[in-house]
Amino acid sequence: GVQTVQIDSPSLKLLLLDEDPATNRNGSFYPGGTASRGRFVTHDGSINVAFIDTHIDMLSHTQVIEIQRGRNVTLWFDPF
């Protein structure tokens, strides 16, 4: 396993998030996956996201799509 202290920028690494039921085909959320075609608007126009450092935030649909397709994919997904 990976210890939390080994992770670079744990406040930016996604741990759990709400996913559109229409695209929720498995238990994963990764760049370019089925979720990248979903709608992320479950709570007041945003979704709840939990990060590895244990804080929770709300992200807009646009922010989630940028995380999925943007040039900073490693910032959000790569733990090292």
Side-chain angles (χ1 to χ4, degrees):
V2 177
Q3 296 179 359
T4 305
V5 297
Q6 295 174 298
I7 297 172
D8 290 337
S9 305
S11 64
L12 294 175
K13 304 303 184 208
L14 302 172
L15 179 63
L16 300 169
L17 59 107
D18 292 332
E19 185 178 331
D20 184 344
T23 60
N24 189 356
R25 307 221 193 313
N26 52 44
S28 64
F29 180 82
Y30 57 92
T34 58
S36 66
R37 294 179 295 281
R39 291 188 63 238
F40 299 94
V41 290
T42 57
H43 303 285
D44 296 326
S46 299
I47 63 164
N48 295 323
V49 178
F51 295 85
I52 289 180
D53 73 346
T54 71
H55 87 275
I56 297 173
D57 204 350
M58 292 179 73
L59 297 179
S60 70
H61 172 79
T62 304
Q63 289 172 303
V64 175
I65 295 302
E66 178 61 27
I67 288 168
Q68 285 272 296
R69 300 180 185 160
R71 62 178 171 235
N72 293 321
V73 166
T74 56
L75 179 68
W76 298 95
F77 292 93
D78 185 2
F80 307 109

